[in-house]
């Protein structure tokens, strides 16, 4: 099981530049609309200082970080839900992701055209979010028409899904997103139909390196994000991309020269983990130290399934150590001797930064 984010925005907002920054890919990022047509797919290794701390204890031959899948989706425009631009095709790509990264342009550059000739991030966001609402409404209305005919024909088991669809329609018809509305509906139906506005979201403001301080548009967007429950991450995508191939020390100095204390990659991925409700756990098996991603509230049985289906099916018990206890006592044996290792069954909820060792048949 993996988690996927989709990068969404108007043409020329900087989506492909951000994708290249996250994945170290080299996809085209040109200054004309619809440079990206087919979605670019990449895998992002999650930066994790804990791996280095654990490695000092266990001395692994191999260290494997956890990852997040990332899709660079082509630009949406007004009336995309009606097929404008390359809309319907791209809306379909968004349905496949777990979380949406909205990229909005805050930089001014006469060499990079704006599809609507004015840099206004709030207006740009409104266009995108309206298209997602209208696309959802179209899906829901079509589903209601199909189900009502079947329901009248005797398919009474459709009643709960039909009620859910009507609840969604009531919200969407007001131009509101499902995520913001907070309505309680069966999430299985929401996920089954790929409701776009129910997906968790992060906003990336693509700014120039000279606009980190005193940027009115950025402050307005941050206030908007707070009001709508979306984290806002400022990113100097082009500038950070230029620094990507430097060694760690030079890269840090290069970023700090314009007031960037922590890389936007780290900040953005942390925000994605937050909106997706994800945790990280670790295994030290044989000569490999590995990080894994799990939904918060996930059980040892689910964690075992991520590692290997044979481990899941043969699960007996698991030993679990807190990260700090593991490190301060020199590993699992030391933590065990100090009485700091839990022995738990398959229904135990894995905690963030747990180190687990599973016993299985």
């Amino acid at each position: 099981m993996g988690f996927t984010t989709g990068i969404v925005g108007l043409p020329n907002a900087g989506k492909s530049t951000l994708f290249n920054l996250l994945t170290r890919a080299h996809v085209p990022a040109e200054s004309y609309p619809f440079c990206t047509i087919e979605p670019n797919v990449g895998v992002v290794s999650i930066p994790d200082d804990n791996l280095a701390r654990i490695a000092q204890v266990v001395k692994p031959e191999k260290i494997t970080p956890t990852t997040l899948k990332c899709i660079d989706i082509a630009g949406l425009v007004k009336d995309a839900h009606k097929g404008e631009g390359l809309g319907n095709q791209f809306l379909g790509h968004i349905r496949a992701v777990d979380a949406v990264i909205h990229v909005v342009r805050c930089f001014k550059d006469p060499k990079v055209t704006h599809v609507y000739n004015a840099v206004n991030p709030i207006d740009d966001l409104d266009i995108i979010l309206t298209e997602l609402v209208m696309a959802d409404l179209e899906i829901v209305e079509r589903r209601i028409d199909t189900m009502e005919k079947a329901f009248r024909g005797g398919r009474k088991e459709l009643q709960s899904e039909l009620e859910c669809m009507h609840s969604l329609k009531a919200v969407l018809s007001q131009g509101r997103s499902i995520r913001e509305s907070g309505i309680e509906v069966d999430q299985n139906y929401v996920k089954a139909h790929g409701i776009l506005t129910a997906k968790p979201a992060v906003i990336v403001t693509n700014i120039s390196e000279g606009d980190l301080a005193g940027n009115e548009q950025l402050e307005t967007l941050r206030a908007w994000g707070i009001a709508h429950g979306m984290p806002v991450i400022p990113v100097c995508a082009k500038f950070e991309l230029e620094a990507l191939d430097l060694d760690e020390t030079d890269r840090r100095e290069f970023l700090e020269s314009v007031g960037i204390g922590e890389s936007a990659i780290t900040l953005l991925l942390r925000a994605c983990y937050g909106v997706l409700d994800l945790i990280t756990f670790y295994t030290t098996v044989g000569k490999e130290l590995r990080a894994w991603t799990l939904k918060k509230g996930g059980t040892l049985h689910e964690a075992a399934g991520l590692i290997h289906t044979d481990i899941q099916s043969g699960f007996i018990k698991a030993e679990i150590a807190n990260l700090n206890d593991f490190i301060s006592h020199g590993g699992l044996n030391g933590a065990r001797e100090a009485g700091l290792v839990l022995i738990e069954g398959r229904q135990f909820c894995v905690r963030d930064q747990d180190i687990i060792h599973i016993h299985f048949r």
Side-chain angles (χ1 to χ4, degrees), residues 301-334:
H301 190 248
E302 293 172 284
L306 292 178
I307 300 167
H308 201 286
T309 52
D310 288 347
I311 295 176
Q312 185 179 48
S313 60
F315 183 98
I316 300 172
K317 63 181 179 181
E319 293 182 278
I320 306 152
N322 169 275
L323 173 70
N324 290 329
D325 290 339
F326 183 94
I327 292 171
S328 62
H329 289 82
L332 191 64
N333 287 336

Side-chain angles (χ1 to χ4, degrees), residues 42-340:
V43 176
V44 186
S45 293
I46 305 299
D48 189 346
D49 293 338
N50 289 331
L51 286 170
R53 295 175 64 203
I54 300 168
Q56 288 182 335
V57 175
V58 300
K59 312 297 183 188
E61 292 183 5
K62 182 179 180 182
I63 300 175
T64 305
T66 189
T67 59
L68 195 65
K69 190 176 178 182
C70 188
I71 301 178
D72 174 24
I73 299 169
L76 291 172
V77 294
K78 288 178 183 176
D79 294 327
H81 69 284
K82 298 178 181 177
E84 286 297 317
L86 299 168
N88 287 325
Q89 178 183 349
F90 300 149
L91 287 166
H93 295 317
I94 303 171
R95 295 194 192 282
V97 307
D98 299 300
V100 177
I101 299 173
H102 290 285
V103 179
V104 290
R105 175 176 171 177
C106 283
F107 67 90
K108 294 180 180 179
D109 185 342
K111 296 179 182 178
V112 182
T113 60
H114 189 288
V115 71
Y116 297 117
N117 301 316
V119 176
N120 188 319
I122 299 295
D123 285 353
D124 292 353
L125 259 178
D126 187 59
I127 290 170
I128 297 299
L129 295 175
T130 297
E131 291 308 314
L132 299 187
V133 166
M134 296 306 295
D136 280 347
L137 184 58
E138 187 177 304
I139 288 285
V140 167
E141 288 180 334
R142 197 159 57 230
R143 182 61 181 157
I144 286 173
D145 288 344
T146 301
M147 285 195 300
E148 284 185 338
K149 292 175 184 175
F151 188 75
R152 289 193 295 270
R155 295 280 305 281
K156 302 304 180 186
E157 73 276 9
L158 294 174
Q159 182 173 349
S160 63
E161 184 180 356
L162 191 54
E163 290 173 353
C164 175
M165 292 296 110
H166 277 296
S167 296
L168 297 179
K169 181 180 176 180
V171 172
L172 295 165
S173 297
Q174 298 171 12
R176 298 164 61 208
S177 76
I178 300 304
R179 183 187 55 79
E180 278 190 71
S181 72
I183 61 168
E184 294 186 8
V185 291
D186 191 321
Q187 291 302 309
N188 292 321
Y189 296 136
V190 172
K191 291 176 182 177
H193 297 296
I195 301 301
L196 301 171
T197 62
K199 297 180 184 295
V202 176
I203 299 169
V204 164
T205 66
N206 190 9
I207 60 179
S208 59
E209 61 271 22
D211 290 334
L212 274 170
N215 187 318
E216 289 185 10
Q217 286 185 326
L218 176 57
E219 293 310 311
T220 300
L221 201 50
R222 278 178 167 145
W224 189 97
I226 291 170
H228 292 77
M230 294 189 212
V232 174
I233 311 296
V235 179
C236 302
K238 185 178 178 182
F239 188 80
E240 285 214 35
L241 191 61
E242 292 173 359
L244 201 59
D245 293 328
L246 300 175
D247 66 49
E248 187 59 32
T249 301
D250 290 344
R251 184 165 176 263
R252 188 179 297 113
E253 290 177 358
F254 186 62
L255 296 179
E256 287 176 351
S257 69
V258 295
I260 300 175
E262 189 172 17
S263 169
I265 296 175
T266 304
L267 294 172
L268 176 55
L269 293 174
R270 190 181 298 152
C272 288
Y273 260 56
V275 299
L276 282 167
D277 241 7
L278 302 179
I279 63 170
T280 303
F281 71 92
Y282 306 93
T283 57
T284 57
V285 179
K287 298 176 181 179
E288 183 181 17
L289 163 61
R290 184 161 181 170
W292 305 84
T293 300
L294 185 66
K295 199 82 171 174
K296 191 179 292 182
T299 65
L300 281 170
H301 190 248
E302 293 172 284
L306 292 178
I307 300 167
H308 201 286
T309 52
D310 288 347
I311 295 176
Q312 185 179 48
S313 60
F315 183 98
I316 300 172
K317 63 181 179 181
E319 293 182 278
I320 306 152
N322 169 275
L323 173 70
N324 290 329
D325 290 339
F326 183 94
I327 292 171
S328 62
H329 289 82
L332 191 64
N333 287 336
R336 190 187 293 122
E337 290 170 3
L340 297 172

